[in-house]
């Protein structure tokens, strides 16, 4: 049995990079995964998971918008019957700016 068999997961920033790799790993371990990102390539992540025999729902949305995250959580509950894990991977890099100098407005951009 796979370690996450029967579990539901949500991965933000799942269109590429660490988010995509993490979503694929969740699925490979048996989780049903809602992959979430604001770019259309999130659909490719869902297709890769399905091609490998996993279950995924691709949802386009902005992780910085509370209403869109709430809707994604509700959809995961509705589709999977549960939500056991959230990997909040989406974000932006502060670059050369020290984290303590970044305010909330930076993340809203």
């Amino acid at each position: 049995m796979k370690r996450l068999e029967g579990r539901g997961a949500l991965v933000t920033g799942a269109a590429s990079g660490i988010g995509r790799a993490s979503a694929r790993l969740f699925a490979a371990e048996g989780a049903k995964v809602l992959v979430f990102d604001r770019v259309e390539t999130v659909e490719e992540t869902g297709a890769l998971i399905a091609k490998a025999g996993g279950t995924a729902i691709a949802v386009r949305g902005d992780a910085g918008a509370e209403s869109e995250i709430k809707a994604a959580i509700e959809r995961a509950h509705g589709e999977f019957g549960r939500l056991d894990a959230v990997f909040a991977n989406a974000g932006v890099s502060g670059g050369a700016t020290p984290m303590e100098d970044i305010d909330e407005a930076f993340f809203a951009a």
Side-chain angles (χ1 to χ4, degrees):
M1 182 170 173
K2 296 177 181 179
R3 294 184 291 177
L4 300 175
E5 196 72 43
R7 308 286 184 173
L10 176 124
V11 178
T12 67
S16 64
I18 293 169
R20 177 176 279 181
S22 298
R24 294 180 75 187
L25 183 57
F26 272 102
E29 287 294 336
K32 297 174 184 174
V33 186
L34 189 141
V35 292
F36 187 89
D37 206 308
R38 61 178 161 181
V39 295
E40 65 187 42
T41 51
V42 73
E43 295 166 14
E44 291 176 16
T45 302
L48 287 167
I49 290 170
K51 186 176 180 181
T55 300
I57 299 168
V59 175
R60 286 186 64 188
D62 183 354
E66 184 178 353
S67 63
E68 294 184 38
I69 287 293
K70 284 183 177 181
I73 290 168
E74 289 173 9
R75 179 138 183 222
H77 274 285
E79 297 278 340
F80 307 148
R82 61 190 296 158
L83 182 59
D84 301 286
V86 174
F87 179 34
N89 173 66
V92 292
S93 171
T97 305
M99 186 58 110
E100 63 271 12
D101 293 338
I102 298 173
D103 62 13
E104 188 176 346
F106 177 85
F107 294 102

